Amino acid sequence: MSHNKRIAVYPGSFDPITNGHMDILIRASRLFDHVIILIAENGAKNSRFDVVARQKMIAEAISDAKLENVEVDVTSGLTVEYAKRIGANHLIRGLRAVTDFEYEFKLAAANSFIDPDIDMIFFMAKNDFDFISSSSILEMADGGVDVSSLVPKSVIKYLKK
Ligand code: PNS
């Protein structure tokens, strides 16, 4: 990949991807030449969907949204190491009101300790998406709530499985 291109990595668990994530991804794709949405395989967290399923849901959502400068990938290592390897200098994260701040503040400090050259960029979640999280989607879907306006179409298929 060419080094004069501005590349960003958008890391997360994406278990599953939500319309809140998609909004951040779309906004990031306007700012950077290339965005990699990166599924960080986190052994400590027990996930609903395996990485293959999560990758498929994201790939389909990217294609449906016609995001031509976005790709999905998976890592089991450090996000910052992945970013360095592909020549990305920025990590993208979304922030919902208040609750996410402390966690993201620590994550940014840890990432900056690993490599001070890689900066995190935060997008404020839109009001409509402020209450959405992957786990609230799963709870609502399990409880029979129609979440089709909160997640990409590709996710609905997997929620029904
Ligand atoms: O969607 P999440 O679960 O809030 O995402 C958190 C994530 C995956 C971005 C973060 O845990 C991460 O980057 N994990 C990979 C390992 C790593 O690089 N940790 C940062 C130093 S503690």
Side-chain angles (χ1 to χ4, degrees):
M1 226 170 273
S2 153
H3 283 274
N4 47 27
K5 288 242 167 106
R6 295 175 70 82
I7 308 166
V9 173
Y10 177 25
S13 303
F14 305 112
D15 186 38
I17 189 160
T18 68
N19 284 347
H21 294 130
M22 286 303 292
D23 178 58
I24 305 295
L25 185 62
I26 289 164
R27 289 156 70 191
S29 77
R30 294 188 192 123
L31 196 60
F32 287 90
D33 296 312
H34 204 82
V35 178
I36 312 284
I37 174 166
L38 184 69
I39 304 166
E41 236 181 316
N42 186 342
K45 253 188 183 176
N46 40 15
S47 57
R48 171 74 60 99
F49 298 107
D50 62 35
V51 282
V52 176
R54 282 185 263 165
Q55 192 165 8
K56 281 188 184 156
M57 287 186 265
I58 294 173
E60 212 174 304
I62 292 170
S63 149
D64 288 346
K66 300 189 167 53
L67 300 177
E68 281 163 11
N69 61 342
V70 176
E71 267 176 83
V72 58
D73 202 0
V74 179
T75 187
S76 54
L78 294 170
T79 299
V80 165
E81 297 299 341
Y82 178 96
K84 269 203 280 195
R85 205 158 60 234
I86 64 154
N89 295 320
H90 298 92
L91 302 181
I92 305 292
R93 294 283 287 172
L95 269 186
R96 289 160 300 190
V98 197
T99 47
D100 287 331
F101 182 80
E102 195 174 353
Y103 177 74
E104 295 300 327
F105 193 77
K106 285 181 183 161
L107 186 62
N111 285 337
S112 155
F113 176 76
I114 302 167
D115 186 344
D117 292 337
I118 295 189
D119 241 324
M120 293 182 77
I121 297 191
F122 296 93
F123 287 87
M124 290 289 177
K126 297 219 174 98
N127 280 341
D128 304 0
F129 302 130
D130 212 65
F131 72 101
I132 312 179
S133 65
S134 297
S135 53
S136 70
I137 295 287
L138 291 174
E139 277 178 35
M140 287 191 280
D142 289 347
V145 177
D146 176 8
V147 294
S148 56
S149 62
L150 307 178
V151 292
K153 254 199 328 228
S154 57
V155 172
I156 294 295
K157 285 191 286 192
Y158 279 83
L159 287 173
K160 283 179 181 157
K161 276 185 192 167

